[in-house]
Amino acid sequence: MIELRIALVGHGKMGGALLTQWRAVAARDFPDTRFFVIDPMSDGDSLEQSDRVAYLREPPPVEACGFDLVIVAVKPQVVAEVLPDYAARMAPDGFVASIAAGCSIERLSALSGGAPVVRVMPNLSAAIGAGVSGLCADDSATPEQRATIEALMAAVGTTLWVPDEDMLDRLTAVAGSGPGYVFEIARTYVAAAEELGFSPAEARQLVLGTMAGTIAMAQGSSSSLEDLRTSVTSKNGTTAAGLDALNGDGALGQRFRATLDAAYDRAVELR
């Protein structure tokens, strides 16, 4: 098979999270793929070079590249500075995938010399192979290119194709930013448990264990979340009392809608 050559431009938190998982499954899932990680801030000497992953501080010479895929993983404000350098470094049928929030397909294509573009919105759980990633491609992306980026993102969790960039912004509000919401819910839940008399370690164990077990039950069930909630709520029992305090007036639902609306509005502003 022909070796697939992928340039990962940027090795920050999200780019590093994706690469960690890709390295873990490379031998099994991508045996004919080689990653070139290009980041001027990266100390390649301290990172584990291998036959499949090379760490570089600057792009290789044009004649040594021929990248089939360039993954843009730098901060949105520097995309315009770095992406044009890769227009001549792509293979004739190469394409761009970007995880930079707020950079439109139109802009990314223009910066890369008209290359096909797929925008990807992963979330941080990709680092442990449990991410949720949204994908949106322009019309010039081929089925093979779509399949390539889908395979890469499926290796770090689940994927969902959306029809346009507005839906990708909506997905960003739900899943891309979602880990932050969940961490904040867990934090306040733990703090409340501490106020009830548990030590910080005990509260963390109780809350995270409860959340993990409950989510696992929901993922393994075909029942609706409402039915699952009802199944653990006895009339006039402790759970019913707690749920009434939590969302009896609908305030929690309103707060979540406001949360997603705010994140979506910000995603639109960044376009």
Side-chain angles (χ1 to χ4, degrees):
M1 293 182 65
I2 298 174
E3 180 185 85
L4 193 67
R5 296 166 64 84
I6 297 176
L8 176 62
V9 185
H11 191 245
K13 184 173 290 186
M14 184 57 71
L18 294 172
L19 184 66
T20 295
Q21 193 63 20
W22 288 335
R23 289 191 64 152
V25 301
R28 182 193 70 206
D29 294 348
F30 312 113
D32 300 295
T33 296
R34 189 171 186 208
F35 293 92
F36 297 81
V37 184
I38 302 126
D39 189 330
M41 304 302 294
S42 176
D43 184 4
D45 294 338
S46 68
L47 297 169
E48 184 183 350
Q49 308 274 349
S50 71
D51 292 339
R52 292 192 178 92
V53 182
Y55 293 92
L56 308 168
R57 290 189 176 180
E58 59 185 28
V62 171
E63 62 274 12
C65 294
F67 295 128
D68 302 287
L69 168 59
V70 174
I71 300 175
V72 181
V74 296
K75 294 183 183 300
Q77 57 266 34
V78 299
V79 170
E81 298 176 24
V82 301
L83 187 53
D85 288 341
Y86 293 86
R89 289 178 163 85
M90 282 189 280
D93 57 351
F95 72 109
V96 171
S98 172
I99 66 171
C103 290
S104 69
I105 286 174
E106 181 180 12
R107 183 179 181 217
L108 291 162
S109 182
L111 290 170
S112 57
V117 173
V118 179
R119 281 188 61 195
V120 181
M121 176 48 63
N123 61 21
L124 196 55
S125 302
I128 60 170
V132 178
S133 300
L135 302 98
C136 178
D138 69 5
D139 293 338
S140 63
T142 67
E144 292 77 15
Q145 291 168 340
R146 291 171 182 249
T148 294
I149 191 63
E150 182 168 7
L152 284 167
M153 300 316 298
V156 300
T158 60
T159 62
L160 177 66
W161 284 95
V162 294
D164 54 48
E165 292 184 275
D166 183 65
M167 283 305 298
L168 192 67
D169 288 339
R170 295 172 188 270
L171 185 146
T172 299
V174 176
S177 300
Y181 314 151
V182 175
F183 284 136
E184 178 63 7
I185 291 166
R187 184 194 68 79
T188 57
Y189 193 175
V190 167
E194 291 178 27
E195 291 179 7
L196 208 58
F198 293 98
S199 71
E202 290 170 337
R204 182 184 175 99
Q205 177 185 354
L206 289 170
V207 169
L208 296 186
T210 298
M211 292 178 72
T214 304
I215 290 170
M217 286 182 64
Q219 289 178 324
S221 174
S222 59
S223 299
S224 70
L225 295 177
E226 182 176 3
D227 286 344
L228 289 171
R229 183 207 61 199
T230 300
S231 72
V232 299
T233 307
S234 300
K235 186 176 181 179
N236 297 323
T238 58
T239 305
L243 285 170
D244 186 60
L246 180 66
N247 199 32
D249 58 358
L252 182 63
Q254 294 172 10
R255 180 60 62 87
F256 258 106
R257 182 56 189 267
T259 298
L260 299 187
D261 285 347
Y264 167 67
D265 290 344
R266 181 57 178 155
V268 172
E269 291 173 1
L270 291 172
R271 287 180 190 170

XYZ file of all heavy atoms in Angstrom, residues 166-236:
512
model
N -22.961 26.023 9.993
C -23.815 26.487 11.074
C -24.120 25.332 12.034
O -24.094 25.518 13.256
C -25.117 27.060 10.526
C -25.995 27.631 11.629
O -25.577 28.614 12.262
O -27.078 27.069 11.875
N -24.372 24.148 11.481
C -24.616 22.992 12.347
C -23.343 22.593 13.092
O -23.406 22.092 14.220
C -25.142 21.821 11.534
C -26.614 21.943 11.140
S -27.728 22.199 12.552
C -27.465 20.689 13.494
N -22.179 22.841 12.478
C -20.932 22.551 13.192
C -20.778 23.493 14.379
O -20.300 23.088 15.445
C -19.738 22.676 12.241
C -18.418 22.119 12.785
C -18.493 20.604 12.933
C -17.253 22.487 11.877
N -21.192 24.749 14.220
C -21.166 25.685 15.342
C -22.119 25.224 16.456
O -21.821 25.367 17.647
C -21.563 27.086 14.885
C -20.484 27.763 14.043
O -19.314 27.341 14.134
O -20.816 28.699 13.296
N -23.257 24.702 16.060
C -24.212 24.197 17.051
C -23.654 22.965 17.759
O -23.799 22.801 18.976
C -25.552 23.881 16.377
C -26.239 25.119 15.825
C -27.480 24.797 14.989
N -27.978 25.986 14.328
C -28.870 26.821 14.854
N -29.389 26.559 16.049
N -29.259 27.892 14.188
N -22.973 22.105 16.986
C -22.334 20.936 17.592
C -21.224 21.371 18.545
O -21.025 20.763 19.609
C -21.790 20.021 16.500
C -21.178 18.687 16.943
C -21.449 17.610 15.894
C -19.674 18.806 17.188
N -20.499 22.426 18.174
C -19.453 22.949 19.050
C -20.025 23.338 20.405
O -19.434 23.064 21.455
C -18.783 24.173 18.400
O -18.182 23.780 17.167
C -17.731 24.774 19.313
N -21.198 23.979 20.382
C -21.831 24.408 21.626
C -22.214 23.226 22.506
O -22.151 23.305 23.734
C -23.071 25.248 21.316
N -22.600 22.121 21.872
C -23.059 20.952 22.636
C -21.903 20.051 23.047
O -21.735 19.733 24.229
C -24.091 20.146 21.817
C -24.504 18.878 22.572
C -25.313 20.991 21.509
N -21.103 19.627 22.071
C -20.067 18.617 22.337
C -18.669 19.199 22.443
O -17.896 18.804 23.327
C -20.100 17.546 21.240
N -18.312 20.124 21.557
C -16.967 20.681 21.605
C -16.664 21.328 22.941
O -15.601 21.124 23.537
N -17.616 22.120 23.442
C -17.454 22.780 24.738
C -17.982 21.930 25.887
O -17.826 22.298 27.054
C -18.204 24.129 24.730
O -17.696 24.986 23.735
N -18.614 20.816 25.558
C -19.298 19.997 26.556
C -18.475 19.531 27.740
O -18.969 19.555 28.878
N -17.218 19.091 27.537
C -16.441 18.648 28.698
C -16.333 19.721 29.780
O -16.335 19.402 30.976
C -15.071 18.304 28.097
C -15.392 17.838 26.717
C -16.504 18.756 26.270
N -16.261 20.985 29.380
C -16.211 22.053 30.376
C -17.466 22.108 31.215
O -17.403 22.296 32.440
N -18.625 21.909 30.570
C -19.876 21.918 31.331
C -19.909 20.757 32.323
O -20.311 20.913 33.480
C -21.097 21.772 30.419
C -21.124 22.630 29.180
C -21.796 22.189 28.035
C -20.506 23.884 29.127
C -21.852 22.958 26.894
C -20.559 24.656 27.981
C -21.227 24.178 26.858
O -21.284 24.927 25.718
N -19.482 19.582 31.837
C -19.539 18.391 32.688
C -18.588 18.531 33.872
O -18.931 18.182 35.015
C -19.226 17.126 31.878
C -19.166 15.899 32.784
C -20.290 16.917 30.788
N -17.394 19.069 33.622
C -16.459 19.288 34.729
C -17.042 20.262 35.754
O -16.866 20.096 36.964
C -15.127 19.816 34.206
C -14.253 18.779 33.557
C -13.598 19.046 32.363
C -14.068 17.535 34.148
C -12.788 18.098 31.765
C -13.252 16.574 33.553
C -12.617 16.847 32.363
N -17.735 21.289 35.273
C -18.306 22.260 36.189
C -19.455 21.648 36.996
O -19.598 21.905 38.201
C -18.784 23.498 35.424
C -19.437 24.571 36.281
C -18.512 25.190 37.329
O -17.285 24.879 37.321
O -18.997 25.985 38.153
N -20.280 20.827 36.335
C -21.347 20.130 37.062
C -20.746 19.229 38.133
O -21.190 19.215 39.293
C -22.218 19.317 36.092
C -23.028 20.258 35.196
C -23.157 18.376 36.849
C -23.652 19.571 34.006
N -19.713 18.466 37.753
C -19.069 17.565 38.715
C -18.448 18.365 39.865
O -18.529 17.955 41.034
C -18.015 16.726 38.012
N -17.840 19.492 39.536
C -17.198 20.303 40.580
C -18.214 20.785 41.612
O -17.983 20.680 42.825
C -16.491 21.505 39.944
C -15.701 22.363 40.938
C -15.309 23.696 40.333
N -16.456 24.556 40.083
C -17.071 25.268 41.027
N -16.666 25.211 42.296
N -18.104 26.028 40.714
N -19.345 21.305 41.135
C -20.341 21.816 42.070
C -21.021 20.686 42.841
O -21.384 20.850 44.011
C -21.392 22.659 41.328
O -21.998 21.885 40.297
C -20.747 23.886 40.705
N -21.174 19.536 42.201
C -21.745 18.353 42.846
C -20.822 17.893 43.975
O -21.264 17.609 45.111
C -21.916 17.279 41.772
C -22.755 16.072 42.083
C -22.997 15.127 41.070
C -23.316 15.820 43.340
C -23.762 14.010 41.300
C -24.077 14.683 43.582
C -24.302 13.780 42.551
O -25.058 12.656 42.784
N -19.519 17.846 43.711
C -18.540 17.451 44.721
C -18.536 18.460 45.878
O -18.509 18.084 47.062
C -17.132 17.327 44.099
C -16.058 17.223 45.189
C -17.062 16.104 43.196
N -18.567 19.745 45.542
C -18.568 20.770 46.588
C -19.782 20.625 47.499
O -19.689 20.773 48.730
C -18.539 22.155 45.957
N -20.945 20.323 46.917
C -22.154 20.135 47.719
C -22.032 18.908 48.614
O -22.484 18.919 49.781
C -23.369 20.000 46.806
N -21.406 17.846 48.097
C -21.205 16.637 48.905
C -20.270 16.916 50.074
O -20.461 16.384 51.185
C -20.659 15.513 48.037
N -19.264 17.746 49.840
C -18.363 18.124 50.932
C -19.126 18.886 52.016
O -18.911 18.664 53.216
C -17.215 18.974 50.391
C -16.226 18.208 49.508
C -15.142 19.108 48.965
O -14.824 20.132 49.615
O -14.606 18.810 47.878
N -20.017 19.770 51.597
C -20.792 20.533 52.573
C -21.738 19.628 53.366
O -22.159 19.984 54.475
C -21.584 21.630 51.858
C -20.712 22.734 51.281
C -21.515 23.802 50.556
O -22.766 23.740 50.621
O -20.906 24.690 49.942
N -22.035 18.449 52.791
C -22.898 17.503 53.492
C -22.109 16.667 54.498
O -22.697 15.869 55.232
C -23.594 16.598 52.469
C -24.955 16.007 52.830
C -25.957 17.101 53.150
C -25.470 15.132 51.691
N -20.781 16.845 54.520
C -19.988 16.186 55.549
C -18.923 15.226 55.067
O -18.186 14.656 55.876
N -18.805 15.032 53.757
C -17.795 14.111 53.246
C -16.474 14.838 53.008
O -16.457 16.036 52.704
C -18.270 13.458 51.944
C -19.452 12.539 52.123
C -20.739 12.972 51.855
C -19.272 11.249 52.599
C -21.827 12.146 52.040
C -20.356 10.407 52.782
C -21.638 10.854 52.511
N -15.362 14.097 53.118
C -14.057 14.676 52.824
C -13.959 14.923 51.315
O -14.718 14.338 50.530
C -12.946 13.726 53.251
O -12.908 12.591 52.390
N -13.031 15.781 50.875
C -12.882 16.006 49.435
C -12.666 14.717 48.651
O -13.255 14.536 47.578
C -11.668 16.938 49.355
C -11.714 17.699 50.643
C -12.186 16.699 51.661
N -11.832 13.813 49.172
C -11.572 12.553 48.473
C -12.827 11.692 48.420
O -13.133 11.073 47.389
C -10.431 11.800 49.148
N -13.539 11.636 49.517
C -14.768 10.834 49.553
C -15.828 11.415 48.621
O -16.500 10.671 47.888
C -15.308 10.778 50.986
C -14.459 9.959 51.935
C -14.886 10.124 53.389
O -15.522 11.165 53.712
O -14.580 9.228 54.199
N -15.968 12.742 48.646
C -16.966 13.389 47.786
C -16.653 13.152 46.319
O -17.539 12.846 45.513
C -17.010 14.881 48.085
N -15.387 13.270 45.961
C -14.976 13.038 44.565
C -15.265 11.600 44.153
O -15.792 11.343 43.067
C -13.488 13.359 44.405
C -12.964 13.199 42.982
C -11.462 13.445 42.935
N -10.901 13.185 41.627
C -10.633 14.118 40.715
N -10.890 15.390 40.978
N -10.133 13.796 39.540
N -14.924 10.656 45.028
C -15.179 9.240 44.729
C -16.672 8.974 44.541
O -17.084 8.309 43.578
C -14.643 8.360 45.860
C -14.921 6.871 45.670
C -14.485 6.047 46.880
O -13.879 6.569 47.809
N -14.796 4.766 46.860
N -17.491 9.501 45.428
C -18.926 9.271 45.355
C -19.533 9.902 44.094
O -20.330 9.270 43.381
C -19.611 9.840 46.596
C -19.377 9.099 47.917
C -19.914 9.914 49.077
C -20.042 7.725 47.875
N -19.162 11.138 43.817
C -19.761 11.852 42.695
C -19.315 11.293 41.354
O -20.132 10.988 40.478
C -19.450 13.357 42.796
C -19.837 14.075 41.501
C -20.190 13.966 43.976
N -18.004 11.154 41.162
C -17.517 10.666 39.869
C -17.939 9.222 39.625
O -18.275 8.843 38.492
C -16.000 10.808 39.782
C -15.461 12.242 39.819
C -13.959 12.246 39.566
C -16.179 13.123 38.800
N -17.953 8.416 40.674
C -18.414 7.037 40.521
C -19.884 6.979 40.155
O -20.302 6.180 39.300
N -20.675 7.822 40.795
C -22.106 7.866 40.490
C -22.351 8.333 39.059
O -23.166 7.755 38.321
C -22.838 8.802 41.469
O -22.694 8.287 42.794
C -24.310 8.914 41.137
N -21.629 9.364 38.641
C -21.803 9.885 37.281
C -21.365 8.860 36.237
O -22.072 8.621 35.244
C -21.020 11.184 37.111
C -21.568 12.338 37.936
S -20.604 13.872 37.774
C -21.044 14.374 36.106
N -20.213 8.228 36.470
C -19.706 7.258 35.503
C -20.647 6.065 35.380
O -20.952 5.592 34.272
C -18.311 6.798 35.906
N -21.128 5.554 36.493
C -22.019 4.408 36.461
C -23.349 4.735 35.808
O -23.904 3.930 35.041
N -23.879 5.905 36.100
C -25.159 6.316 35.527
C -25.059 6.493 34.018
O -25.937 6.064 33.261
C -25.626 7.624 36.186
O -25.694 7.445 37.604
C -26.990 8.042 35.667
N -23.983 7.120 33.555
C -23.795 7.308 32.113
C -23.628 5.961 31.416
O -24.184 5.732 30.331
C -22.591 8.228 31.851
C -22.936 9.657 32.290
C -22.191 8.205 30.381
C -21.773 10.609 32.305
N -22.885 5.049 32.050
C -22.716 3.720 31.458
C -24.057 3.006 31.331
O -24.328 2.329 30.326
C -21.748 2.891 32.302
N -24.920 3.137 32.339
C -26.247 2.536 32.273
C -27.060 3.136 31.128
O -27.730 2.413 30.383
C -26.990 2.736 33.594
C -26.504 1.871 34.738
S -27.491 2.142 36.235
C -29.100 1.554 35.687
N -26.997 4.450 30.979
C -27.762 5.113 29.923
C -27.271 4.693 28.543
O -28.073 4.443 27.626
C -27.659 6.628 30.082
N -25.949 4.588 28.380
C -25.403 4.201 27.084
C -25.744 2.753 26.727
O -25.847 2.407 25.554
C -23.886 4.395 27.074
C -23.478 5.870 27.068
C -21.980 6.049 27.105
O -21.257 5.286 27.748
N -21.490 7.078 26.430
N -25.939 1.938 27.741
C -26.261 0.531 27.489
C -27.742 0.241 27.435
O -28.146 -0.923 27.332
N -28.572 1.280 27.497
C -30.023 1.098 27.532
C -30.678 1.726 26.315
O -30.220 2.749 25.801
C -30.606 1.725 28.805
O -32.011 1.683 28.789
N -31.766 1.132 25.859
C -32.542 1.705 24.765
C -33.660 2.599 25.288
O -34.387 3.218 24.503
C -33.141 0.591 23.896
O -33.988 -0.249 24.673
N -33.824 2.675 26.601
C -34.873 3.505 27.186
C -34.519 4.983 27.071
O -33.342 5.358 27.004
C -35.065 3.151 28.671
O -35.462 1.801 28.822
N -35.534 5.838 27.066
C -35.292 7.274 27.045
C -34.703 7.694 28.385
O -34.856 7.005 29.403
C -36.606 8.037 26.804
O -37.453 7.942 27.946
N -34.026 8.838 28.387
C -33.457 9.341 29.637
C -34.559 9.673 30.640
O -34.373 9.487 31.849
C -32.599 10.569 29.355
C -31.348 10.325 28.491
C -30.636 11.632 28.222
C -30.418 9.318 29.142
N -35.693 10.122 30.145
C -36.803 10.405 31.052
C -37.291 9.123 31.726
O -37.551 9.095 32.943
C -37.951 11.067 30.298
C -39.122 11.449 31.182
C -40.210 12.195 30.431
O -40.072 12.374 29.198
O -41.199 12.598 31.080
N -37.395 8.034 30.950
C -37.832 6.756 31.518
C -36.819 6.229 32.532
O -37.192 5.677 33.576
C -38.055 5.723 30.419
C -39.327 5.975 29.615
O -40.180 6.750 30.099
O -39.454 5.408 28.512
N -35.537 6.398 32.216
C -34.508 5.945 33.152
C -34.579 6.736 34.450
O -34.465 6.173 35.549
C -33.120 6.079 32.518
C -32.805 5.086 31.387
C -31.501 5.465 30.704
C -32.731 3.659 31.917
N -34.770 8.043 34.331
C -34.899 8.869 35.534
C -36.112 8.431 36.356
O -36.040 8.291 37.584
C -35.039 10.339 35.143
C -35.115 11.295 36.338
C -35.868 12.547 35.979
N -37.238 12.228 35.600
C -38.029 13.051 34.901
N -37.573 14.215 34.487
N -39.255 12.697 34.598
N -37.228 8.194 35.689
C -38.446 7.780 36.394
C -38.251 6.438 37.087
O -38.765 6.216 38.198
C -39.623 7.698 35.408
O -39.834 8.996 34.820
C -40.906 7.264 36.101
N -37.461 5.564 36.448
C -37.287 4.222 37.003
C -36.522 4.219 38.321
O -36.606 3.262 39.092
C -36.562 3.318 35.992
O -35.190 3.677 35.864
N -35.767 5.282 38.585
C -35.016 5.344 39.847
C -35.620 6.358 40.824
O -34.998 6.694 41.822
C -33.531 5.699 39.588
C -32.857 4.639 38.722
C -33.390 7.084 38.933
N -36.835 6.813 40.515
C -37.466 7.842 41.344
C -38.756 7.309 41.961
O -39.793 7.216 41.288
C -37.783 9.095 40.504
O -36.603 9.521 39.817
C -38.276 10.232 41.390
N -38.680 6.964 43.228
C -39.877 6.503 43.944
C -40.719 7.712 44.341
O -40.193 8.758 44.737
C -39.482 5.724 45.210
O -38.704 4.601 44.876
N -42.025 7.550 44.269
C -42.925 8.636 44.628
C -42.713 9.037 46.084
O -42.690 8.196 46.981
C -44.375 8.200 44.407
C -45.384 9.317 44.607
C -46.797 8.853 44.284
C -47.801 9.986 44.452
N -49.185 9.548 44.118
N -42.534 10.325 46.295
C -42.328 10.886 47.632
C -41.040 10.404 48.307
O -40.885 10.526 49.517
C -43.529 10.582 48.552
C -44.806 11.226 48.062
O -44.779 12.339 47.544
N -45.919 10.524 48.203
